[in-house]
Amino acid sequence: MQATHTYLQIHPQDNILVALQDLPKGTPIRHNGHQFSLVEPVAGKHKFTINDLVPGDEIFMYGVLVGKADKPIPQGAAITTGNIHHASSDFELGQRKLHWEKPDVSKWQEKHFMGYHRADGSVGTANYWIVIPLVFCENRNVDVLREALVEKLGYSKVTAFQHDVETLVNMYQQGVSADDILAVELSEKATNVSNKKVFQNIDGIKFLNHDMGCGGTRMDADALCGLLAGYITHPNVAGATVLSLGCQHAQASILEKEIAKRDPRFSKPLVILEQQKEGTEQQLLTRAIKKTFAGLMEANKNVRQPAPLNKLCIGLECGGSDGFSGISANPALGYVSDIMVAMGGSVILSEFPELCGVEQELSDRCVDEATALRFMELMRVYNAKAEADGSGFYMNPSPGNIRDGLITDAIKSAGAAKKGGSSPVTAVLDYPERVTKPGLNLLCTPGNDVESTTAEVGSGANLVLFTTGLGTPTGNPIAPVVKLSTNTALFKKMPDILDIDCGTIISGTETIPEAASRILDYIIDVASGRKQPRAVALGQDDFIPWRRGVSL
């Protein structure tokens, strides 16, 4: 990267520069021995040209094609959705490019985390019991179990402003006006509940409600069972209670086959109850509570023990991205990814609509041609399906992305791919397959934050690193989700949902390797249960299975 304190060239081939702060019209720009001035104001995070462009001229960023000019654009002008459009290079099977500069991992070789060891050799960063409906018809019964179990077993975390509501109720009963209600100062903070846990080694009971299981395609039902099996066999899960209606597409027998596929010697406590066999709801729920309690007694015997860092499987995620994502937080995650791979750990890069334009680089990094061909096929089929439904990958950027500098999908994708570092791609997985190989795994998922995070965890991620430039509260029921801000202004604005500030890279007070080292220290503490990310503390238990249609 070639940078000043106010603008940046990411790659020597780039013909646009990134504004690192708001730049007024007339700002002098010095680049490659030449000087010119901005012909208009350029907002921070946005890009401007280093030479004149005519319609059809190609625009490069991160060293790859990210767009083409629609009209004449003078030197020193901002690129916008009004003067360029998305463009990306085609891709084909190329030569293997497997050489990479492994980072120095001597600092980490002797370190470990304190995790929950499972019979299959995996190690969890947490220890949860999960309650799952096989079909949406069982959601109410799952909610009844939630009401019965969570508070009594000591897992209530926050009262969610109940004290504030009580204050307003008292005011209303005293006959105050609506203006008085609007004027009152409330605490603005949820109150922690200090219940003592009954089971000291169980981190919580999580309830994975969803709206699938029947009424959709058989493919969706099978994929749902695969995803749920991924959660049941997950190293962060101690055991599970599954409620089935009985007549739905997502049959218990399919779930059991998917469990066996992932763990042939599965031995965790597992309760599967079918309402149409049990009889009344009271009979169903009574059995569910007793069997769940007995399972918790067994699961509580597991305690944290030392584990090598290569037992970590880290999901790499981004959401609410901005124009700094690809130059601060995402490259920092990429460096963490390379460290993990160099130590024999696993990382997962997903969100295939946000790999548009970098297919050639990633396919060339695949360890063999078969793996490369599978990646290319998944990308082509996914995009073709999106195109057939009138919404190709180019439609991925959200209004927030565009507002903050990600004006084409190729720009967004090139920055998003930085989370995957530079190591070879050891495996390409289709949703909801499980990670079985160490190294960098590519997982086919949508770009939707929650669908993708849900899928990464279902494939085995026992911790997720999630970068954001605009701010998003996304979490997961069973895997800690660590939030990293791409800019310091956001970190200061939304400290209640963010864990780590990577804006230090933008300001120049920290290098990418230094930020990665800080992130890895935090990861070890989280994996050991010594620190709790904001998403976990807030109970942000987002869970959305992917319907295998068009979701970008």
Side-chain angles (χ1 to χ4, degrees):
M1 294 185 185
Q2 181 181 345
T4 70
H5 290 300
T6 56
Y7 53 88
L8 167 72
Q9 183 181 38
I10 297 174
H11 189 279
Q13 294 181 8
D14 295 355
N15 57 359
I16 53 176
L17 304 181
V18 183
L20 299 180
Q21 63 187 49
D22 291 346
L23 302 177
K25 178 180 178 179
T27 298
I29 305 297
R30 295 175 178 84
H31 177 68
N32 286 346
H34 302 283
Q35 180 170 322
F36 60 92
S37 298
L38 295 182
V39 298
E40 61 183 335
V42 179
K45 306 181 185 180
H46 285 259
K47 293 81 183 169
F48 57 90
T49 58
I50 61 175
N51 47 46
D52 294 336
L53 298 177
V54 299
D57 277 355
E58 295 181 329
I59 298 167
F60 289 86
M61 187 175 175
Y62 300 98
V64 299
L65 177 65
V66 297
K68 290 185 178 181
D70 287 327
K71 57 182 65 174
I73 307 174
Q75 181 185 54
I79 61 168
T80 70
T81 55
N83 59 21
I84 78 165
H85 66 271
H86 165 86
S88 61
S89 298
D90 198 5
F91 52 96
E92 60 185 14
L93 186 63
Q95 296 294 316
R96 303 301 90 216
K97 296 180 180 178
L98 306 182
H99 175 75
W100 64 297
E101 296 294 333
K102 292 184 179 180
D104 180 8
V105 297
S106 56
K107 176 182 177 181
W108 315 103
Q109 289 283 26
E110 303 303 320
K111 294 196 174 185
H112 65 270
F113 71 100
M114 299 296 291
Y116 293 96
H117 292 249
R118 305 300 179 190
D120 64 355
S122 63
V123 182
T125 61
N127 200 34
Y128 289 107
W129 188 277
I130 57 176
V131 180
I132 300 174
L134 258 185
V135 62
F136 56 81
C137 309
E138 291 299 318
N139 279 342
R140 194 190 72 83
N141 287 328
V142 169
D143 289 340
V144 172
L145 292 180
R146 186 201 309 266
E147 293 171 2
L149 294 168
V150 172
E151 182 177 352
K152 294 300 181 182
L153 295 182
Y155 296 116
S156 294
K157 285 194 173 183
V158 294
T159 56
F161 303 98
Q162 290 177 355
H163 175 72
D164 291 339
V165 174
E166 184 179 349
T167 298
L168 297 181
V169 169
N170 290 335
M171 292 177 64
Y172 170 73
Q173 291 174 340
Q174 294 169 12
V176 304
S177 68
D179 289 339
D180 292 329
I181 292 290
L182 294 173
V184 69
E185 293 289 335
L186 298 176
S187 67
E188 296 186 359
K189 291 184 179 180
T191 304
N192 289 325
V193 176
S194 57
N195 290 343
K196 184 177 180 180
K197 293 193 300 184
V198 174
F199 300 106
Q200 293 303 306
N201 298 317
I202 304 293
D203 292 311
I205 305 178
K206 298 298 183 177
F207 303 82
L208 277 54
N209 290 48
H210 59 83
D211 63 356
M212 295 180 65
C214 200
T217 68
R218 294 298 176 93
M219 181 177 69
D220 280 340
D222 290 346
L224 173 66
C225 288
L227 176 72
L228 298 180
Y231 274 71
I232 292 169
T233 59
H234 194 282
N236 288 8
V237 170
T241 299
V242 180
L243 298 187
S244 169
L245 179 59
C247 57
Q248 73 277 354
H249 286 334
Q251 287 286 296
S253 59
I254 302 175
L255 176 67
E256 290 169 333
K257 289 178 182 177
E258 292 291 338
I259 291 173
K261 184 189 301 182
R262 287 160 176 77
D263 185 358
R265 298 182 180 179
F266 180 78
S267 59
K268 293 178 184 177
L270 176 63
V271 178
I272 300 179
L273 298 173
E274 194 166 287
Q275 185 173 358
Q276 290 170 348
K277 289 182 180 178
E278 296 297 327
T280 67
E281 286 188 350
Q282 182 175 355
Q283 291 171 314
L284 171 74
L285 294 171
T286 298
R287 286 199 69 193
I289 289 172
K290 291 193 295 184
K291 285 181 172 290
T292 298
F293 200 95
L296 287 165
M297 293 170 63
E298 178 66 25
N300 191 52
K301 297 175 183 178
N302 199 348
V303 298
R304 289 186 183 271
Q305 297 179 32
L309 297 185
N310 64 14
K311 291 295 184 179
L312 290 174
C313 179
I314 297 179
L316 307 169
E317 187 68 32
C318 57
S321 298
D322 72 347
F324 287 163
S325 293
I327 57 179
S328 62
N330 288 353
L333 259 60
Y335 203 88
V336 171
S337 173
D338 285 347
I339 291 173
M340 291 304 306
V341 171
M343 291 193 297
S346 304
V347 294
I348 305 173
L349 180 64
S350 58
E351 302 179 289
F352 273 27
E354 298 178 13
L355 300 179
C356 176
V358 293
E359 297 97 336
Q360 191 66 59
E361 178 203 342
L362 289 173
S363 62
D364 289 348
R365 284 167 55 188
C366 289
V367 291
D368 53 45
E369 289 189 354
T371 303
L373 287 169
R374 190 179 198 208
F375 172 62
M376 292 189 292
E377 177 68 9
L378 286 170
M379 288 292 289
R380 287 192 172 112
V381 169
Y382 195 165
N383 188 48
K385 172 63 175 171
E387 292 275 10
D389 288 350
S391 184
F393 285 173
Y394 64 89
M395 295 290 287
N396 176 271
S398 70
N401 295 150
I402 294 169
R403 184 183 65 241
D404 273 50
L406 302 178
I407 62 174
T408 74
D409 186 52
I411 291 177
K412 182 178 179 180
S413 294
K418 294 300 179 183
K419 301 191 301 294
S422 59
S423 69
V425 175
T426 57
V428 173
L429 308 174
D430 196 6
Y431 173 84
E433 293 172 346
R434 186 181 188 181
V435 170
T436 60
K437 296 180 180 180
L440 174 59
N441 291 255
L442 303 183
L443 173 65
C444 183
T445 75
N448 178 292
D449 303 349
V450 178
E451 288 176 332
S452 181
T453 302
T454 298
E456 286 188 340
V457 175
S459 291
N462 53 14
L463 187 146
V464 176
L465 297 177
F466 190 119
T467 70
T468 182
L470 304 177
T472 172
T474 303
N476 183 265
I478 67 167
V481 177
V482 177
K483 291 292 177 37
L484 305 98
S485 69
T486 71
N487 61 90
T488 301
L490 174 68
F491 189 76
K492 291 179 178 179
K493 181 181 180 182
M494 304 179 77
D496 57 324
I497 65 170
L498 298 170
D499 303 294
I500 295 175
D501 176 25
C502 292
T504 51
I505 297 170
I506 300 297
S507 65
T509 59
E510 195 173 35
T511 65
I512 288 173
E514 288 170 345
S517 179
R518 180 164 54 92
I519 293 166
L520 198 46
D521 282 337
Y522 187 83
I523 288 172
I524 294 172
D525 282 341
V526 170
S528 301
R530 292 190 292 266
K531 288 185 178 178
Q532 193 176 68
R534 297 285 191 264
V536 176
L538 293 170
Q540 190 77 35
D541 295 338
D542 300 308
F543 179 80
I544 302 179
W546 181 24
R547 292 182 188 274
R548 199 57 183 264
V550 175
S551 177
L552 298 179

